[in-house]
Amino acid sequence: MKLRFLGTGTSTGVPEIGCTCEVCTSTNPRDKRFRTSALVEIDGKHLLIDCSPDFRMQMLEVFKTEQFELLDGVLITHEHYDHVGGLDDLRTFSRHGKVVQIYGEKEVTDAIHARIPYVFRENKYPGIPNLELVTIDDKPFEVKGIQIIPIRLIHGNLPIFGYRIGNMAYLTDLKIIPEEEYAKLQNLDVLIINALRNYPHVSHQTLDDALKNIERIRPKRTYLIHMTHTFGLHEKMQAVMPENVFIAYDGLEIYV
Ligand SMILES: [Zn+2]
Ligand SMILES: [Zn+2]
């Protein structure tokens, strides 16, 4: 399995509009973060995890080095704008009778339906993306033969999903992992987990919380995502990370 980090930033992206802090003005490309999303390639299939408002720019980057025509499924973690804002741009992958299936729990598929109702009308305007909402619940499911295990996470007071595919788990936007979910996170080669910043936030865990979860889950390697600008400079922060904990950056590709 190959995973490409399409975006690794929080909801505002980094830099933040108008901010002059050392991270927002850094010239290191690793300090520039699109909104969080990832592209997974497995057995020749392509799965997208979340579809950020930066999806178009992210895919233009991907297509500089590889081309593919089919998106085999989109796994949505939750309905916040930074995770679904690019869905309309899936039109590129749903032309000529192709359909893109979007997987999410009922609250999420309902919210997407309400956000872009024109996509799901009987008589569609020409050129509208051809999307199909697939409602999942808290049970393993398959996308074109690939087994996916949803992991329940708590994001402030919103229940959301992370996803495990093989020995990789992708957990974003969590504040709390419910006790019973840790059993689903054993024997991971790669854990991808959010670490917003160094001081508390109402709905996201901090770097310290993330490190505690990493210690408990004990994956072979971890990549941090969904950072805000106050997290610190990529280079400086990477230098103080524990062994086998890496700060992800946009465009990074890993193999699991
Ligand atoms: Zn988010
Ligand atoms: Zn969120």
Side-chain angles (χ1 to χ4, degrees):
M1 165 173 27
K2 177 170 106 173
L3 182 142
R4 180 182 172 115
F5 293 92
L6 298 178
T8 56
T10 190
S11 54
T12 52
V14 181
E16 260 194 28
I17 297 170
C19 184
T20 56
C21 78
E22 64 169 356
V23 172
C24 287
T25 55
S26 164
T27 53
N28 184 347
R30 294 185 185 182
D31 287 317
K32 307 209 180 306
R33 302 184 187 277
F34 282 138
R35 268 66 68 88
T36 291
S37 164
L39 181 66
V40 176
E41 196 182 327
I42 178 167
D43 300 334
K45 311 229 162 50
H46 291 87
L47 299 179
L48 184 68
I49 306 181
D50 287 333
C51 189
S52 96
D54 299 314
F55 177 73
R56 177 175 170 274
M57 296 304 291
Q58 292 167 335
M59 289 320 282
L60 288 172
E61 264 319 297
V62 171
F63 271 58
K64 285 179 182 169
T65 52
E66 62 171 309
Q67 274 86 39
F68 58 94
E69 281 181 17
L70 279 183
L71 202 48
D72 295 282
V74 182
L75 311 178
I76 302 289
T77 60
H78 65 299
E79 66 267 33
H80 286 164
Y81 175 75
D82 55 323
H83 298 263
V84 300
L87 287 172
D88 185 273
D89 287 321
L90 289 171
R91 52 185 73 204
T92 315
F93 295 95
S94 59
R95 286 201 180 115
H96 314 300
K98 288 182 285 180
V99 185
V100 180
Q101 270 95 19
I102 317 283
Y103 297 82
E105 56 192 314
K106 183 159 190 318
E107 290 70 16
V108 174
T109 51
D110 283 353
I112 292 170
H113 197 285
R115 187 182 288 276
I116 45 173
Y118 55 91
V119 168
F120 305 103
R121 280 195 191 119
E122 212 36 54
N123 296 309
K124 287 182 192 166
Y125 190 83
I128 290 296
N130 201 6
L131 310 181
E132 186 193 333
L133 296 173
V134 183
T135 300
I136 54 161
D137 52 22
D138 200 352
K139 285 200 277 289
F141 61 100
E142 271 191 18
V143 177
K144 309 236 174 117
I146 303 161
Q147 214 210 25
I148 321 271
I149 302 171
I151 314 286
R152 173 60 72 209
L153 305 171
I154 307 298
H155 178 25
N157 39 30
L158 183 71
I160 65 171
F161 275 156
Y163 295 105
R164 178 174 182 153
I165 308 173
N167 284 340
M168 183 281 292
Y170 185 95
L171 315 180
T172 191
D173 285 57
L174 72 91
K175 171 94 174 169
I176 287 164
I177 304 176
E179 223 19 69
E180 61 276 17
E181 299 301 292
Y182 283 98
K184 300 175 189 167
L185 297 170
Q186 286 173 1
N187 303 316
L188 287 177
D189 289 326
V190 169
L191 171 67
I192 296 165
I193 194 165
N194 58 300
L196 185 74
R197 62 189 189 194
N198 307 299
Y199 55 99
H201 185 278
V202 58
S203 58
H204 287 264
Q205 67 176 359
T206 61
L207 172 60
D208 264 357
D209 300 331
L211 293 175
K212 278 188 198 119
N213 268 322
I214 293 162
E215 241 170 62
R216 174 156 181 197
I217 295 166
R218 303 176 67 81
K220 289 196 183 127
R221 285 179 287 157
T222 302
Y223 293 86
L224 302 180
I225 53 170
H226 212 288
M227 278 74 69
T228 191
H229 62 150
T230 60
F231 181 85
L233 290 168
H234 186 281
E235 210 175 39
K236 211 160 102 186
M237 293 304 289
Q238 183 59 63
V240 297
M241 284 300 121
E243 213 184 341
N244 296 318
V245 177
F246 305 96
I247 300 168
Y249 54 88
D250 294 15
L252 171 66
E253 291 184 341
I254 59 168
Y255 293 84
V256 186

Short mmCIF file of all heavy atoms in Angstrom, two decimals, residues 169-189:
data_model
loop_
_atom_site.label_atom_id
_atom_site.label_comp_id
_atom_site.label_asym_id
_atom_site.label_seq_id
_atom_site.Cartn_x
_atom_site.Cartn_y
_atom_site.Cartn_z
N ALA A 169 -3.53 2.77 10.16
CA ALA A 169 -4.74 3.45 10.66
C ALA A 169 -4.59 4.94 10.45
O ALA A 169 -3.52 5.51 10.68
CB ALA A 169 -4.97 3.13 12.12
N TYR A 170 -5.68 5.56 9.99
CA TYR A 170 -5.71 6.99 9.69
C TYR A 170 -6.73 7.64 10.62
O TYR A 170 -7.94 7.43 10.48
CB TYR A 170 -6.12 7.17 8.23
CG TYR A 170 -6.07 8.60 7.73
CD1 TYR A 170 -4.96 9.09 7.07
CD2 TYR A 170 -7.16 9.45 7.90
CE1 TYR A 170 -4.92 10.40 6.60
CE2 TYR A 170 -7.13 10.76 7.44
CZ TYR A 170 -6.00 11.22 6.79
OH TYR A 170 -5.96 12.51 6.33
N LEU A 171 -6.23 8.38 11.60
CA LEU A 171 -7.10 8.98 12.62
C LEU A 171 -6.89 10.49 12.61
O LEU A 171 -5.81 10.97 12.94
CB LEU A 171 -6.76 8.43 14.01
CG LEU A 171 -6.56 6.92 14.17
CD1 LEU A 171 -6.23 6.58 15.62
CD2 LEU A 171 -7.79 6.13 13.72
N THR A 172 -7.91 11.23 12.23
CA THR A 172 -7.75 12.69 12.23
C THR A 172 -8.82 13.34 13.09
O THR A 172 -9.86 12.74 13.40
CB THR A 172 -7.80 13.25 10.78
OG1 THR A 172 -7.40 14.63 10.83
CG2 THR A 172 -9.18 13.15 10.15
N ASP A 173 -8.56 14.56 13.51
CA ASP A 173 -9.53 15.42 14.22
C ASP A 173 -10.02 14.88 15.56
O ASP A 173 -11.03 15.34 16.08
CB ASP A 173 -10.73 15.73 13.32
CG ASP A 173 -10.39 16.75 12.24
OD1 ASP A 173 -9.45 16.47 11.46
OD2 ASP A 173 -11.02 17.81 12.17
N LEU A 174 -9.30 13.92 16.13
CA LEU A 174 -9.82 13.36 17.38
C LEU A 174 -9.35 14.17 18.57
O LEU A 174 -8.28 14.76 18.57
CB LEU A 174 -9.41 11.89 17.53
CG LEU A 174 -7.93 11.59 17.83
CD1 LEU A 174 -7.66 11.51 19.33
CD2 LEU A 174 -7.54 10.28 17.17
N LYS A 175 -10.21 14.15 19.59
CA LYS A 175 -9.83 14.65 20.91
C LYS A 175 -9.66 13.44 21.84
O LYS A 175 -8.76 13.39 22.65
CB LYS A 175 -10.92 15.59 21.43
CG LYS A 175 -10.77 16.03 22.87
CD LYS A 175 -10.04 17.35 22.97
CE LYS A 175 -10.04 17.83 24.44
NZ LYS A 175 -9.12 18.94 24.62
N ILE A 176 -10.55 12.45 21.65
CA ILE A 176 -10.54 11.27 22.52
C ILE A 176 -10.74 10.00 21.68
O ILE A 176 -11.56 9.98 20.75
CB ILE A 176 -11.67 11.38 23.58
CG1 ILE A 176 -11.27 12.43 24.63
CG2 ILE A 176 -11.96 10.04 24.25
CD1 ILE A 176 -12.42 12.89 25.48
N ILE A 177 -9.98 8.97 22.02
CA ILE A 177 -10.24 7.63 21.47
C ILE A 177 -10.97 6.85 22.57
O ILE A 177 -10.43 6.65 23.65
CB ILE A 177 -8.92 6.89 21.13
CG1 ILE A 177 -8.06 7.72 20.16
CG2 ILE A 177 -9.22 5.51 20.55
CD1 ILE A 177 -6.70 7.10 19.84
N PRO A 178 -12.23 6.45 22.32
CA PRO A 178 -12.95 5.70 23.34
C PRO A 178 -12.18 4.42 23.70
O PRO A 178 -11.57 3.79 22.82
CB PRO A 178 -14.29 5.37 22.67
CG PRO A 178 -14.43 6.39 21.58
CD PRO A 178 -13.04 6.68 21.11
N GLU A 179 -12.22 4.05 24.97
CA GLU A 179 -11.45 2.93 25.52
C GLU A 179 -11.54 1.68 24.64
O GLU A 179 -10.52 1.06 24.32
CB GLU A 179 -12.02 2.64 26.91
CG GLU A 179 -11.06 2.38 28.03
CD GLU A 179 -9.63 2.82 27.89
OE1 GLU A 179 -9.38 4.03 27.89
OE2 GLU A 179 -8.75 1.94 27.81
N GLU A 180 -12.76 1.32 24.22
CA GLU A 180 -12.95 0.05 23.51
C GLU A 180 -12.35 0.06 22.09
O GLU A 180 -12.21 -0.98 21.47
CB GLU A 180 -14.44 -0.32 23.46
CG GLU A 180 -15.35 0.65 22.74
CD GLU A 180 -15.83 1.83 23.61
OE1 GLU A 180 -15.23 2.08 24.68
OE2 GLU A 180 -16.80 2.49 23.20
N GLU A 181 -11.98 1.23 21.60
CA GLU A 181 -11.45 1.30 20.23
C GLU A 181 -9.97 0.93 20.15
O GLU A 181 -9.47 0.60 19.08
CB GLU A 181 -11.67 2.70 19.64
CG GLU A 181 -13.14 3.10 19.53
CD GLU A 181 -13.96 2.16 18.67
OE1 GLU A 181 -13.76 2.10 17.46
OE2 GLU A 181 -14.80 1.44 19.26
N TYR A 182 -9.27 1.01 21.27
CA TYR A 182 -7.82 0.70 21.24
C TYR A 182 -7.55 -0.73 20.75
O TYR A 182 -6.52 -0.98 20.12
CB TYR A 182 -7.20 0.93 22.63
CG TYR A 182 -6.99 2.39 22.94
CD1 TYR A 182 -7.92 3.08 23.70
CD2 TYR A 182 -5.86 3.08 22.48
CE1 TYR A 182 -7.74 4.44 24.00
CE2 TYR A 182 -5.67 4.42 22.77
CZ TYR A 182 -6.62 5.09 23.54
OH TYR A 182 -6.43 6.43 23.82
N ALA A 183 -8.49 -1.64 21.02
CA ALA A 183 -8.30 -3.04 20.59
C ALA A 183 -8.20 -3.14 19.06
O ALA A 183 -7.57 -4.04 18.52
CB ALA A 183 -9.46 -3.88 21.09
N LYS A 184 -8.81 -2.18 18.36
CA LYS A 184 -8.78 -2.20 16.88
C LYS A 184 -7.48 -1.60 16.33
O LYS A 184 -7.28 -1.54 15.14
CB LYS A 184 -9.97 -1.42 16.31
CG LYS A 184 -11.32 -1.96 16.73
CD LYS A 184 -12.44 -1.05 16.24
CE LYS A 184 -13.77 -1.46 16.84
NZ LYS A 184 -14.80 -0.42 16.64
N LEU A 185 -6.64 -1.11 17.25
CA LEU A 185 -5.43 -0.40 16.80
C LEU A 185 -4.16 -1.17 17.18
O LEU A 185 -3.09 -0.59 17.29
CB LEU A 185 -5.41 1.01 17.43
CG LEU A 185 -6.57 1.92 17.00
CD1 LEU A 185 -6.63 3.19 17.85
CD2 LEU A 185 -6.45 2.28 15.52
N GLN A 186 -4.31 -2.49 17.33
CA GLN A 186 -3.13 -3.29 17.68
C GLN A 186 -2.35 -3.67 16.43
O GLN A 186 -2.91 -3.76 15.35
CB GLN A 186 -3.58 -4.55 18.43
CG GLN A 186 -4.01 -4.21 19.85
CD GLN A 186 -4.63 -5.39 20.58
OE1 GLN A 186 -4.73 -6.48 20.04
NE2 GLN A 186 -5.05 -5.16 21.80
N ASN A 187 -1.05 -3.90 16.61
CA ASN A 187 -0.16 -4.39 15.55
C ASN A 187 -0.16 -3.50 14.30
O ASN A 187 -0.26 -4.00 13.18
CB ASN A 187 -0.54 -5.82 15.15
CG ASN A 187 -0.49 -6.75 16.33
OD1 ASN A 187 0.45 -6.69 17.13
ND2 ASN A 187 -1.51 -7.57 16.49
N LEU A 188 -0.06 -2.22 14.50
CA LEU A 188 -0.02 -1.30 13.35
C LEU A 188 1.42 -1.11 12.88
O LEU A 188 2.33 -0.90 13.69
CB LEU A 188 -0.58 0.07 13.75
CG LEU A 188 -2.09 0.19 13.95
CD1 LEU A 188 -2.42 1.61 14.42
CD2 LEU A 188 -2.85 -0.15 12.67
N ASP A 189 1.61 -1.16 11.56
CA ASP A 189 2.90 -0.75 11.00
C ASP A 189 2.96 0.77 10.95
O ASP A 189 4.00 1.36 11.21
CB ASP A 189 3.09 -1.34 9.60
CG ASP A 189 3.32 -2.84 9.67
OD1 ASP A 189 3.96 -3.29 10.64
OD2 ASP A 189 2.84 -3.56 8.77
#
